[in-house]
Amino acid sequence: MHAVRLGRGRPLLLIHGLGGSWRSWSPILHDLAREREVIAVDLPGFGESPPLQGEVSIDTLARAVTEFLAAEGLTGVDVVGSSMGARLVLELARRRVVGSTVSLNPGGFWQGWERRFFYTSIAVSIRLVRLLQPIMPAITGSAIGRTLLFPQFSPRPWRLSPVVTLEEMRSYAAAPSFDELLRSLAYGPAQEGAAPGSLPGRLVIGWGRQDRVCLPIQAGRAKALFPDARLHWFEGCGHFPHWDKPGETTGLILDSTG
């Protein structure tokens, strides 16, 4: 897997969400690197990493990350994940291959109609993103354009970074594993939990109060499956706390994995 390393100190692994790349973490990357050695990866089939051969799912991605950690001497590393990556880090913690874990707005805890809502809303969005690629720089470069394109991601999309949003939309459109992983996330096996006392380190689950991708009602289900977790609410925040609340997110990560 392609990875970017910044900073010095105790290693900290960052795992992006569906369609993203290591660049998704740009709003907090350098602040984290002042305290830690940050390893931000591109998962297989996203960013600069080639896709897996065969099935693309949380299980196969977890195995790929486990192999990467073993090869790099990073087994037991502290880890942070966002969205799909947040579900992935929960699975890695459950498998006891990482240390302290911060899971930001994890997917995988939907029930009933929420599955179709998640799948349909993201499937429609990615089709639109692909169609709009020729004019995407103009859209993301405009506060009005960001407001129209990103209301599902942020309660204040006009404040989002033009650079970060353009990179994210480019990454979404180019990711060869996007469609298969989206279907697997929505309709594949549910996330398993972890019994009390079974996790290898601390676990914090962060959730934006105004998340319109993974609805806040799902936070209680995640906490029930991972009873050792501490639940942290981000007020006035959507699906990406590191975009909407970068300072608070940085502080939460450093405090929870220090």
Side-chain angles (χ1 to χ4, degrees), residues 166-252:
L166 177 59
E167 289 173 342
E168 195 80 346
M169 294 304 98
R170 292 295 200 216
S171 179
Y172 278 33
S177 296
F178 190 103
D179 294 326
E180 182 179 354
L181 186 54
L182 172 60
R183 180 166 290 278
S184 175
L185 286 170
Y187 299 113
Q191 176 63 53
E192 296 182 48
S198 66
L199 296 176
R202 287 178 287 179
L203 171 59
V204 174
I205 297 175
W207 221 292
R209 289 280 192 190
Q210 293 170 270
D211 189 351
R212 299 185 182 96
V213 179
C214 297
L215 304 178
I217 193 174
Q218 297 163 14
R221 300 171 195 157
K223 181 69 170 66
L225 282 173
F226 291 88
D228 285 344
R230 177 169 69 89
L231 185 58
H232 178 90
W233 288 105
F234 291 92
E235 303 295 338
C237 179
H239 189 58
F240 295 125
H242 49 298
W243 291 10
D244 282 334
K245 299 280 186 174
E248 184 179 348
T249 304
T250 299
L252 178 69

